[in-house]
Amino acid sequence: MPELPEVEVVRRGLAGSITGRTISTVTVLHPRPVRRHLLGAADFAAQLTGRTFAEPRRRGKYLWLPFDDGDAILAHLGMSGQFRLDAPLSPDQPNTRIRIRFADEGSELRFVDQRMFGGLSLSPGGAELPAEIAHIGPDPFDPSFDPERAVARMRVKRTGVKRALLDQTLVSGIGNIYADEALWRARLHYARATDTLPKRAAAELISQVTQVMADALGLGGTSFDALYVNVNGASGYFDRSLNVYGQQDRPCPRCGTPIRREPFMNRSSFRCPRCQRVPRHARW
């Protein structure tokens, strides 16, 4: 699932391309991506027609496309959802599920989703912040994000530090990739108990989380295959800069010890066994 840098790359691409444009027609090519719209695909299309987009917004991994009337489209990209901007009347990309055309007859917005775990839904009154994601905490790039508060909340939790990073109510936007990379940078094992972290160590971890996602954003995010691309179909390049994630058996860039892959929450964690030793106080 795309994490903050990948979603922000998409948001920026959309912001420069759909802001201020009025929808002329919406065609739902498959009903599953609008399954959360209980009145069905035809009503979803009718509700959007004639509305004008404001600038797209994001919180953590969540993206929404506000309208100038106060409502919004909430977008969930799932594992393979993509927004593409294509020339008007050009052939659809494979797995195109929704097509939006504009009154200015310029580039069309298309929602492409191979696996169809993602989708779009209308969020009444959601232009500022959709109610559906109001429980999600701010991310490190949000002006309201308070690093000291995040550190304090992390240190009172009784859990492992990686579990805390993946808690979207604590700090949003972080997934498996950037959690592993930040923990490597901070020299912390993923099972280190949060309530044993010194304040300085917790602050350093939050700082590294912010920096690694900023670094990834600068390279267009992380792409391992064609399922994550920006609105023009281009891949990100941060996968070439990963230190531990997906680097099993390769030498640690810091000490040369082979990177280890270990099971974690029905997925995997990658760490250097020398730089990130198993802690005395751990919460698996």
Side-chain angles (χ1 to χ4, degrees), residues 67-90:
F67 294 115
D68 63 2
D69 62 8
D71 293 343
I73 297 175
L74 179 61
H76 181 41
L77 299 180
M79 295 180 67
S80 60
Q82 305 170 3
F83 280 110
R84 298 292 299 272
L85 290 161
D86 292 315
L89 304 179
S90 62

Side-chain angles (χ1 to χ4, degrees), residues 174-195:
I174 309 166
N176 213 33
I177 296 173
Y178 300 115
D180 280 358
E181 290 295 305
L183 288 165
W184 178 83
R185 292 186 180 201
R187 298 175 181 259
L188 288 172
H189 188 283
Y190 57 85
R192 173 68 184 266
T194 52
D195 50 329

Side-chain angles (χ1 to χ4, degrees), residues 14-247:
L14 292 174
S17 303
I18 69 171
T19 303
R21 299 179 70 192
T22 300
I23 297 172
S24 61
T25 61
V26 177
T27 304
V28 178
L29 301 170
H30 196 291
R32 181 166 171 77
V34 295
R35 59 193 176 277
R36 293 182 179 85
H37 191 83
L38 300 182
L39 296 179
D43 185 77
F44 177 83
Q47 291 277 357
L48 269 55
T49 301
R51 299 200 192 212
T52 300
F53 281 119
E55 183 172 347
R57 302 186 66 177
R58 177 194 55 74
R59 172 174 284 194
K61 307 176 189 179
Y62 296 86
L63 174 70
W64 69 97
L65 314 181
F67 294 115
D68 63 2
D69 62 8
D71 293 343
I73 297 175
L74 179 61
H76 181 41
L77 299 180
M79 295 180 67
S80 60
Q82 305 170 3
F83 280 110
R84 298 292 299 272
L85 290 161
D86 292 315
L89 304 179
S90 62
D92 289 329
Q93 300 286 336
N95 305 306
T96 297
R97 309 304 183 187
I98 299 170
R99 186 193 310 116
I100 297 176
R101 290 179 174 154
F102 294 95
D104 60 19
E105 299 184 345
S107 60
E108 300 176 357
L109 179 64
R110 299 173 184 178
F111 184 70
V112 178
D113 193 356
Q114 176 179 321
R115 298 177 181 173
M116 290 199 292
F117 293 135
L120 309 182
S121 58
L122 183 64
S123 178
E128 204 52 40
L129 177 65
E132 298 90 336
I133 60 170
H135 64 289
I136 300 298
D139 63 66
F141 302 106
D142 190 315
S144 68
F145 182 71
D146 183 348
E148 291 188 3
R149 184 169 184 267
V151 165
R153 291 185 62 201
M154 177 182 290
R155 295 179 68 224
V156 299
K157 293 175 73 70
R158 295 180 60 82
T159 189
V161 67
K162 183 173 178 179
R163 289 177 181 269
L165 290 179
L166 298 178
D167 179 355
Q168 300 300 297
T169 66
L170 179 64
V171 181
S172 66
I174 309 166
N176 213 33
I177 296 173
Y178 300 115
D180 280 358
E181 290 295 305
L183 288 165
W184 178 83
R185 292 186 180 201
R187 298 175 181 259
L188 288 172
H189 188 283
Y190 57 85
R192 173 68 184 266
T194 52
D195 50 329
T196 69
L197 273 180
K199 183 177 181 181
R200 183 175 178 179
E204 172 66 11
L205 178 58
I206 295 297
S207 175
Q208 294 296 351
V209 162
T210 305
Q211 188 58 55
V212 73
M213 291 198 293
D215 292 345
L217 184 55
L219 293 175
T222 301
S223 300
F224 292 111
D225 54 36
L227 295 185
Y228 164 68
V229 294
N230 66 18
V231 296
N232 297 315
S235 299
Y237 295 102
F238 192 68
D239 60 303
R240 302 175 185 178
S241 301
L242 294 170
N243 292 299
V244 287
Y245 186 86
Q247 307 302 304

